[in-house]
Amino acid sequence: GALDGTHIRASVSIDMEPSFHGRKSYASQNVMAAVDFDLRFTYVLAGWEGSAHDALVLRDALERENGLRVPQGKFYLVDAGYGAKPGFLPPFRAVRYHLNEWGNNPVQNEELFNPRH
């Protein structure tokens, strides 16, 4: 499947507002969701502060008693914010992405992987 997070506007008390300010200009919560390849939600974790990093939210989801589980022999496509770990497949870092801008230079396997990811 695929896994990613999004920021949803949050209404919190004034004293809690600083921790809910992340990269957005407003208070938000970081909501992580996993979908299968039939586009059905298989897991959702809401409530993390907007300042929480994606990798922290994923770690919490994996450590919960009824948390996210990766089926044996399967994996989730994730963005680079989640990092590479068993069951999670991020794009290669520091790899050419817009290949047509590089002319006739030979293309490496990882350069083909990222746009298709």
Side-chain angles (χ1 to χ4, degrees):
L3 185 138
D4 203 2
T6 189
H7 287 261
I8 306 295
R9 189 177 294 272
S11 293
V12 295
S13 63
I14 295 293
D15 60 316
M16 292 179 64
E17 205 167 285
S19 64
F20 280 82
H21 273 280
R23 63 176 193 235
K24 301 293 184 183
S25 61
Y26 51 84
S28 68
Q29 59 178 302
N30 190 340
V31 178
M32 185 189 75
V35 296
D36 62 18
F37 283 107
D38 292 323
L39 301 180
R40 294 178 296 201
F41 285 94
T42 58
Y43 187 82
V44 175
L45 178 60
W48 271 93
E49 300 93 344
S51 60
H53 192 277
D54 288 343
L56 177 62
V57 178
L58 176 58
R59 185 177 73 205
D60 179 47
L62 293 169
E63 291 174 352
R64 289 176 178 245
E65 185 177 336
N66 293 317
L68 178 66
R69 299 292 175 258
V70 181
Q72 184 69 29
K74 304 292 182 181
F75 59 89
Y76 284 103
L77 294 177
V78 297
D79 66 29
Y82 293 101
K85 56 180 71 41
F88 300 92
L89 190 60
F92 286 93
R93 289 188 176 268
V95 172
R96 297 184 294 176
Y97 190 79
H98 299 286
L99 299 177
N100 59 344
E101 295 175 7
W102 290 84
N104 292 329
N105 293 332
V107 176
Q108 305 296 316
N109 286 338
E110 60 270 12
E111 293 170 336
L112 294 173
F113 175 82
N114 282 358
R116 292 173 182 165
H117 181 274

